[in-house]
Amino acid sequence: MNRSTLGSLILAITTGVTLAGCGQNANSQMDSPTIRAAQAKPSQIIPTPANTLFGAAPEPNGTMWIVAGSPASHGIFQLDLSQKKVVGSVSVSNHANTIAESSTGILALGLSTSHTGAIEFLNGSSGAPLNTVPVSGPVVSLAAGDDGITFYALNGNNTAKSIAIINAQTDKVETSVPAPYDAVSAVPTPNEDSLYVLEPNGIVSQIQTAGGHISTQFPVGHSGRALAIGPNGHTLYVLKGQGSVRNVAVVNLATESVTKVLPAPANTQNIVLSPNGQILYDVVGAPSIGNVQSFSVR
């Protein structure tokens, strides 16, 4: 699909749902088909430090790492999802703003200054640093591949962005794939032959990892912020929002269409899925609050 035909395909359905709980939720009103009342509340809310910035996908053992902090101090925090509390923390660089974890237990932190970026690898159990790999620009988003060793770092500035494909065994950038200059999030498909890349205008591009060719583009609704992909590669979840309003579009990738919209708390920064793809975790952060909220997507 080319860009000239995208405008006529963008949907604008506006049924809102009010969320309640802990003062962090807000009406979800953007491009939203009707949401059943049972979906409107999180199944759990886990407190995290204020200024929570990003969360990694949960491990099979029920723990999850998040990165949080003020400009003066950053840390990574390990959550026990069953106990609903932080069970460990490690101080990290104040430039850390994103985090991802591989299925083999390798943690990766995205580091950003005003002009530079890097990926720092850490031990997934202890948080101990292992190595650092420079990338070409500030890191915007970070995702782990299903092979357990590859990480995908969207990086760059307001005029140019790319996705660095990094091997955590060799600590090297294997290749770099061009991305739209305004891209905000990128996730690999399960077989890692392509990436889905989101722009703020709600356009999702599928980009081939070999050669960087755009194979398709489709709209999911305005104000795109972050992506998560289901473990079977059939469903894409798109966090959208402006100001205090957030929601998550559920996209059928076979038809490239939004099938429903899930509520999301205000100040949701990114979204991740449980290993089985049945629970969506919304990572919430602002100067005075932080939490992780879970929603069933079955």
Side-chain angles (χ1 to χ4, degrees), residues 254-281:
T255 61
E256 298 179 348
S257 61
V258 176
T259 59
K260 61 180 176 180
V261 172
L262 302 173
N267 302 303
T268 298
Q269 301 301 315
N270 82 298
I271 51 177
V272 292
L273 285 163
S274 61
N276 63 9
Q278 296 182 357
I279 299 173
L280 184 71
Y281 293 93

Side-chain angles (χ1 to χ4, degrees), residues 24 43-44 52 66 106 113 117-118 125 153 176 194 196 200 202 207 228 231 243 251 255 275 292:
Q24 282 88 292
S43 57
Q44 62 177 351
T52 291
I66 59 104
I106 302 171
T113 70
S125 298
S176 185
S194 64
Y196 286 101
I207 302 176
V251 179
T255 61
V292 172

Side-chain angles (χ1 to χ4, degrees), residues 111-198:
L111 309 180
S112 297
T113 70
S114 57
H115 300 291
T116 64
I119 302 301
E120 183 178 12
F121 292 116
L122 307 95
N123 182 290
S125 298
S126 65
L130 300 174
N131 210 338
T132 301
V133 179
V135 294
S136 58
V139 178
V140 178
S141 78
L142 187 59
D146 281 5
D147 65 359
I149 61 170
T150 306
F151 288 84
Y152 298 82
L154 174 64
N155 67 96
N157 54 35
N158 291 333
T159 60
K161 285 194 176 72
S162 62
I163 302 157
I165 302 176
I166 305 162
N167 186 314
Q169 288 186 332
T170 63
D171 296 319
K172 292 181 178 180
V173 176
E174 293 190 332
T175 189
S176 185
V177 177
Y181 76 94
D182 59 347
V184 293
S185 185
V187 294
T189 55
N191 63 8
E192 301 182 57
D193 65 351
S194 64
L195 297 131
Y196 286 101
V197 181
L198 175 68

Side-chain angles (χ1 to χ4, degrees), residues 55-66 76-82 87 99-108 122-127 272-276 281:
E59 301 177 35
N61 67 3
T63 62
M64 175 181 179
W65 286 95
I66 59 104
I76 58 172
F77 300 82
Q78 189 175 38
L79 311 182
D80 186 308
L81 299 176
S82 62
V87 294
I99 190 168
E101 184 171 10
S102 72
S103 58
T104 54
I106 302 171
L107 269 179
L122 307 95
N123 182 290
S125 298
S126 65
V272 292
L273 285 163
S274 61
N276 63 9
Y281 293 93

